[in-house]
Amino acid sequence: MSPQPLDSVKGFAVTFRQLFKKPITQQYPEYKRPVYPRFRGRHRLHRHENGLEKCVGCSLCAAACPADCIRVVAEENTPDNRVSPGERYARIYEINMSRCIFCGYCELACPFDAITLGNEYEISEYSRDDLIYTKDMLLAEPIKKVPVADRDLYDTPIPYYQDHS
Amino acid sequence: MREPWWISLIKAGVIVNLIMLAFAYTTWLERKLLGRMQNRFGPNRAGPYGLLQPFADLIKLVRKESFFPVAARHPLYIAAPIISMFTALAAFAVIPFGAGWQIWHYHVNGEIANVSIALILIFALGSIGVYGAIIGGWASQSKFSLLGSMRTCAQLVSYEVSLALSVLGVVLMGQSLNLVDIVNKQGATIWFFIPQLAGLLVFFFAMIAETSRPPFDLPEADTELVAGYHTEYGGMRWGLFQTAEYINLITLSALAVTLFFAGWHGPYAPLGPLWFLLKVFIFVSVFIWIRASVPRLRYDQLMRFGWKILLPVATINAVVTALLVVWIS
């Protein structure tokens, strides 16, 4: 059948040898492979050092979003309700994670580096409603932590917003 | 030696369940060995070493919705997997797995049924089993199922010829169609795989094709063609086809062990059934090894191999054996 019958027998030796090797599978839930430092995962909203929100409700992120998953409703800051340092703040800030494609355009569009994409990727839910993240969820520290690879392993510049804030 | 009918009944019940268990753990062994040969773990989540995986699969299959294609012929659509399953299970009845034992004052034979034409019975059941594929593909009322069942039939019928011819040498040497006699003859003289090496090789290849295992798994070439005659089946009905296929694999392995490797004979006689199990286990492992190592044949290669290589070799083997048997005796 085959031109080199012996070569097809050699294949059996190859497969047999693999039996004695350690499988190279990474057992995922137990072992989480460190993600690339600039991995784009779940969003975060940030605050200034003094506790005010960086977001000023300009909706540029919503405009930049190709998946149309961000909803921002802005409201004026008043002296007795000062949420952000600017004129306005985001009264409602929602991201529909079932639509988000994790492109990071919101991050680029934001003039105040108020929204960034974090490293967390374990964000599945049983219900679609649970995938609409509110402002409180995005402002809070993420519950799950993901191992991140050492930045020095990669030729990765430190993002501007982490260097100058 | 006669035994009371109720002993046969008990034995049949035990053996059927043992075969189902063996089937379950053949799937586990297959996935595990395939995994290790491909540097993966294979199933390792359900139970220690994934040992509960077959049961998890069973529960999943049974709980699935059992749907009908709108156009399917209902009675036949249901009957097809049952036919496959029944013939697969029934064929094991004549395979001897031990010498027979004296338990209390009853004699228990080492096989369920001692039939004088056991070999013909097995091949007859195998031929009926093809109807499972034909009917299943036709009753589904789908082009792909029908084409798949034609593909299956063409393959099974072609290789059945070689399969039956390849054991002719063994029948001539054992001078019986009774598997018990053939095993005893081998225990008394020589294991038939030495004089019948050509027969064994033909039987081996034809057996892979008969059980539609890779590299002859054209009936369900899952990676390149639609799944074949069971395209329209789902849930446990599909599971029955799959079960039948694996049980056929076990039965034919057991038949090969019986015909060529002296069945339950081994260095230490009281361990008879264990020797039998060990030999069948080796056969099944080799099949899995082949699956991991060889790519699937093209359909014309399959037909050419069956008709132009296996069949002439089997015929010559049978003729030469017949001449030698006559010449020696």
Side-chain angles (χ1 to χ4, degrees):
Chain A
M1 299 301 287
S2 92
Q4 282 104 17
L6 267 183
D7 282 5
S8 22
V9 177
K10 267 185 204 162
F12 284 85
V14 172
T15 43
F16 193 74
R17 268 202 303 278
Q18 310 307 318
L19 277 181
F20 306 102
K21 285 188 187 162
K22 210 172 142 53
I24 57 170
T25 315
Q26 293 173 345
Q27 297 281 303
Y28 160 61
E30 291 88 24
Y31 171 75
K32 293 192 173 104
R33 183 164 167 240
V35 296
Y36 180 66
R38 287 173 67 183
F39 181 86
R40 298 194 298 265
R42 177 195 191 275
H43 302 260
R44 296 274 328 266
L45 279 177
H46 295 277
R47 289 176 194 274
H48 286 292
E49 310 266 300
N50 58 9
L52 291 177
E53 287 168 15
K54 283 188 180 177
C55 179
V56 295
C58 68
S59 300
L60 278 176
C61 47
C65 182
D68 203 12
C69 68
I70 302 178
R71 174 166 171 249
V72 184
V73 177
E75 202 163 271
E76 297 285 328
N77 278 312
T78 52
D80 41 304
N81 181 24
R82 175 154 286 279
V83 183
S84 78
E87 266 181 36
R88 305 199 297 171
Y89 72 99
R91 183 168 58 84
I92 295 174
Y93 194 103
E94 280 178 358
I95 299 181
N96 185 347
M97 296 305 266
S98 58
R99 292 190 65 112
C100 178
I101 58 169
F102 301 97
C103 62
Y105 284 7
C106 45
E107 199 176 3
L108 290 180
C110 185
F112 292 100
D113 297 320
I115 184 165
T116 62
L117 270 71
N119 297 115
E120 294 76 36
Y121 53 85
E122 291 172 325
I123 49 179
S124 344
E125 298 284 353
Y126 284 104
S127 149
R128 284 185 194 167
D129 297 346
D130 294 344
L131 279 169
I132 296 171
Y133 284 15
T134 58
K135 196 171 84 171
D136 296 337
M137 295 158 77
L138 291 165
L139 276 167
E141 281 290 313
I143 304 161
K144 288 176 181 163
K145 289 282 185 186
V146 166
V148 182
D150 187 1
R151 189 172 285 278
D152 298 341
L153 291 177
Y154 301 96
D155 183 20
T156 306
I158 295 170
Y160 176 86
Y161 64 85
Q162 283 185 8
D163 223 5
H164 309 73
S165 61
Chain B
M1 197 94 66
R2 296 287 297 170
E3 57 182 14
W5 60 271
W6 53 268
I7 289 189
S8 301
L9 205 61
I10 293 171
K11 222 160 43 178
V14 170
I15 294 290
V16 163
N17 283 300
L18 279 182
I19 293 174
M20 295 304 272
L21 196 72
F23 147 68
Y25 281 97
T26 306
T27 64
W28 175 84
L29 179 77
E30 168 152 48
R31 296 171 67 179
K32 210 68 185 168
L33 270 184
L34 268 186
R36 295 310 285 252
M37 282 176 176
Q38 296 164 353
N39 286 338
R40 299 182 285 113
F41 279 103
N44 64 352
R45 295 284 151 172
Y49 301 103
L51 276 172
L52 295 179
Q53 188 67 42
F55 298 100
D57 289 342
L58 176 74
I59 292 168
K60 175 221 166 199
L61 282 178
V62 169
R63 288 191 58 209
K64 266 181 126 170
E65 180 191 356
S66 55
F67 60 89
F68 281 107
V70 176
R73 303 262 192 279
H74 284 206
L76 289 178
Y77 181 81
I78 295 175
I82 297 174
I83 293 172
S84 285
M85 188 72 193
F86 167 76
T87 53
L89 277 175
F92 207 88
V94 291
I95 288 178
F97 47 85
W101 303 272
Q102 198 72 36
I103 296 175
W104 198 27
H105 51 266
Y106 292 107
H107 182 78
V108 179
N109 285 334
E111 67 284 328
I112 296 172
N114 191 346
V115 183
S116 53
I117 50 161
L119 207 51
I120 293 180
L121 183 76
I122 285 188
F123 287 133
L125 282 170
S127 305
I128 296 173
V130 180
Y131 282 104
I134 302 178
I135 293 174
W138 180 75
S140 303
Q141 285 289 12
S142 136
K143 295 180 200 69
F144 299 111
S145 295
L146 190 63
L147 289 171
S149 76
M150 282 165 63
R151 212 163 64 216
T152 311
C153 295
Q155 172 176 338
L156 295 195
V157 170
S158 302
Y159 278 79
E160 233 167 45
V161 183
S162 309
L163 193 75
L165 267 177
S166 66
V167 300
L168 218 55
V170 171
V171 174
L172 287 165
M173 292 189 72
Q175 291 172 346
S176 171
L177 283 165
N178 186 334
L179 292 177
V180 182
D181 290 351
I182 291 177
V183 167
N184 289 337
K185 180 98 173 177
Q186 290 181 77
T189 56
I190 186 173
W191 291 13
F192 284 163
F193 78 95
I194 299 168
Q196 285 293 322
L197 195 61
L200 172 65
L201 284 178
V202 173
F203 186 85
F204 191 73
F205 287 123
M207 187 174 142
I208 303 176
E210 271 303 292
T211 52
S212 53
R213 301 270 314 162
F216 301 102
D217 62 339
L218 269 300
E220 38 174 316
D222 15 27
T223 41
E224 44 201 64
L225 299 163
V226 185
Y229 60 91
H230 51 52
T231 308
E232 301 289 341
Y233 282 86
M236 201 54 212
R237 295 204 184 104
W238 170 83
L240 281 182
F241 275 128
Q242 208 64 17
T243 313
E245 197 181 305
Y246 275 93
I247 290 177
N248 273 330
L249 170 72
I250 296 171
T251 309
L252 279 182
S253 297
L255 185 65
V257 165
T258 307
L259 291 176
F260 294 99
F261 293 92
W264 45 267
H265 282 285
Y268 182 62
L271 289 178
L274 283 183
W275 290 120
F276 180 76
L277 262 184
L278 180 72
K279 289 171 189 170
V280 173
F281 170 78
I282 291 172
F283 252 86
V284 170
S285 304
V286 167
F287 279 123
I288 296 165
W289 186 16
I290 291 175
R291 175 172 176 183
S293 310
V294 189
R296 184 177 299 127
L297 267 71
R298 227 169 42 220
Y299 206 77
D300 60 319
Q301 292 172 331
L302 175 95
M303 282 297 155
R304 193 170 357 118
F305 185 64
W307 289 107
K308 292 193 179 168
I309 298 181
L310 284 191
L311 191 61
V313 171
T315 315
I316 292 168
N317 179 54
V319 171
V320 170
T321 312
L323 290 176
L324 284 178
V325 166
V326 171
W327 184 52
I328 288 170
S329 66

